[in-house]
Amino acid sequence: VPGPKANELEVSIFGPGYGESILIHIGNKSWIVVDSCVDESKQPAPLKYLKSIGVDVKTDVKLIVVTHWHDDHIRGISNVFRECETASVVFSAALTPKEFFTLAETYKSIPSLASTGIQEFSNIISMLGRKKDSFKFAAADRILYRQEATIDGGKKTIQVSSLSPSDMNIERSFHQISKMIPKDGEKKLRLPSLNPNNVAVALWVQIGDERILLGSDLECDNSDTGNWTVIVNSSLLIDSKAFVFKVAHHGSPTSYNPMVWNRVLGPNVHAMLTPFVNGPHKLPSDDDLNRIAGFTKNIFVTSRPARRKYRHPDNAVQKRLEEMASNLFVENGNFGHVKLRKEIDSNREPEVELDGAAFQFSR
Ligand SMILES: [Fe+2]
């Protein structure tokens, strides 16, 4: 399969049913990776795809963004970081107490207190010492990558900026960390919770005149000055509207802010999303998809929010399995890939290709 041409942008989104990873070709063989997930063979989906289209990940991946440290966004991310040797890695400036103390303990060379949930974070942190100047904190209105490129003989500005976490949430994370440091005679406190979805990194990608909004899992945070309202008012978003939106938090109502759709996104924006399935929790719901359909007819989902049942080819074995467990599912078995390509700054419509379990939603 050929990769995108030098003058084409690509937005690819991968989802195995539980997990999400996004790749963007920003022109001239340069790529950015946003989060990571694994496929059925447990390989990081973004690496496998890039290699399949002949990309040299060592040199051509410029930026890796870890939007937040939830399991469904980081599987395989330390492998991505290891193989993409020249890329910078970005993560939220608002660390949760768990991440903060993992970072602090790495500096002290003390074995980490980390649970498995934070292992990928710990792996990356321990690699940072070997890759000098290769990490950046994301925060509202911060330029993470900028380059003047010549595409089709014309000069284009390529820029990737973070739109979150907000200053208020960074301050909140400092406060939570400070609560963890015991005063004399006090017992160490339990880790307070800071929802990583409230400090997730949303991104604004500019490629010439093209604009792409990646919503990560950023939720609204239930207030008038919630996360998405802060973003809608960001000075970075004044000049133009996005034609692609990676819908925030798998289309959940808690991440929905109509101002985003009315003011930041263009008409019939290409909305791309992955499902989230964890026990009884399933996103997006039919209501979520219908809400999105009120804004655009271009809705692409990597798979239905359902798990694929496992069936052993041998009936006797299958019967025995059913005696042991009522329901068996294939891990990462609902894998889909949505690929959008567009000639940069041309009037031609984007082309969308669907692989695996991916589908276009229509009412
Ligand atoms: Fe997620």
Side-chain angles (χ1 to χ4, degrees), residues 78 81-82 102-103 106 119-131:
S78 57
F81 184 54
R82 190 178 299 112
T102 304
L103 184 64
T106 306
Q119 197 55 52
E120 293 279 351
F121 179 78
S122 174
N123 291 346
I124 286 191
I125 295 300
S126 62
M127 273 187 272
L128 288 173
R130 280 174 263 145
K131 290 173 99 175

Side-chain angles (χ1 to χ4, degrees), residues 72-73 217 250:
D72 60 322
H73 293 252
D217 272 2
H250 319 283

Side-chain angles (χ1 to χ4, degrees), residues 50 58 74 145 171 175 192 210 283 335:
L50 287 173
K58 265 186 194 164
I74 58 169
Y145 178 87
E171 195 274 337
H175 182 70
E210 314 278 9
L283 290 171
F335 196 86

Side-chain angles (χ1 to χ4, degrees), residues 5-268:
K5 299 190 193 97
N7 66 350
E8 274 179 333
L9 67 82
E10 173 174 328
V11 182
S12 265
I13 176 165
F14 305 90
Y18 175 84
E20 176 175 302
S21 177
I22 300 134
L23 282 174
I24 300 185
H25 179 247
I26 52 178
N28 290 342
K29 291 166 82 181
S30 298
W31 292 82
I32 68 170
V33 180
V34 181
D35 294 336
S36 178
C37 62
V38 294
D39 62 12
E40 258 180 89
S41 61
K42 301 240 167 108
Q43 294 195 63
L47 283 182
K48 194 169 167 187
Y49 172 71
L50 287 173
K51 289 175 185 173
S52 79
I53 58 170
V55 172
D56 183 356
V57 299
K58 265 186 194 164
T59 55
D60 297 346
V61 174
K62 307 299 181 191
L63 198 67
I64 300 163
V65 183
V66 188
T67 67
H68 63 301
W69 298 97
H70 269 157
D71 242 16
D72 60 322
H73 293 252
I74 58 169
R75 284 186 174 155
I77 195 76
S78 57
N79 286 336
V80 174
F81 184 54
R82 190 178 299 112
E83 291 202 35
C84 303
E85 287 179 10
T86 55
S88 310
V89 66
V90 173
F91 41 82
S92 176
L95 295 175
T96 67
K98 260 189 194 171
E99 292 145 22
F100 175 81
F101 286 104
T102 304
L103 184 64
E105 301 211 352
T106 306
Y107 287 138
K108 290 191 297 184
S109 313
I110 290 170
S112 170
L113 56 65
S115 56
T116 49
I118 205 141
Q119 197 55 52
E120 293 279 351
F121 179 78
S122 174
N123 291 346
I124 286 191
I125 295 300
S126 62
M127 273 187 272
L128 288 173
R130 280 174 263 145
K131 290 173 99 175
K132 287 249 180 294
D133 301 327
S134 61
F135 101 96
K136 286 177 181 155
F137 279 129
D141 301 331
R142 178 148 205 228
I143 297 170
L144 303 170
Y145 178 87
R146 189 183 162 94
Q147 189 211 338
E148 302 299 325
T150 306
I151 294 172
D152 276 346
K155 286 253 180 287
K156 307 276 179 204
T157 300
I158 317 292
Q159 186 171 296
V160 180
S161 312
S162 47
L163 302 170
S164 60
S166 64
D167 295 291
M168 190 187 77
N169 272 324
I170 294 173
E171 195 274 337
R172 195 181 279 173
S173 83
F174 291 160
H175 182 70
Q176 297 229 303
I177 290 162
S178 77
K179 283 201 295 193
M180 293 294 304
I181 299 165
K183 295 187 195 120
D184 274 351
E186 258 180 16
K187 272 195 183 155
K188 200 174 158 187
L189 299 163
R190 232 161 39 87
L191 292 179
S193 63
L194 176 72
N195 181 358
N197 287 352
N198 281 331
V199 294
V201 181
L203 296 168
W204 185 243
V205 181
Q206 307 173 223
I207 304 169
D209 292 332
E210 314 278 9
R211 299 289 183 271
I212 296 162
L213 177 64
L214 303 181
S216 182
D217 272 2
L218 190 68
E219 294 184 82
C220 293
D221 207 7
N222 302 323
S223 71
D224 290 347
T225 53
N227 289 316
W228 280 106
T229 302
V230 172
I231 287 179
V232 167
N233 293 309
S234 160
S235 54
L236 275 171
L237 306 188
I238 284 173
D239 65 327
S240 47
K241 295 191 171 201
F243 84 103
V244 176
F245 180 36
K246 200 300 287 179
V247 180
H249 196 229
H250 319 283
S252 79
T254 57
S255 60
Y256 169 67
N257 181 327
M259 285 195 292
V260 173
W261 294 86
N262 291 322
R263 285 166 51 182
V264 184
L265 307 176
N268 279 317

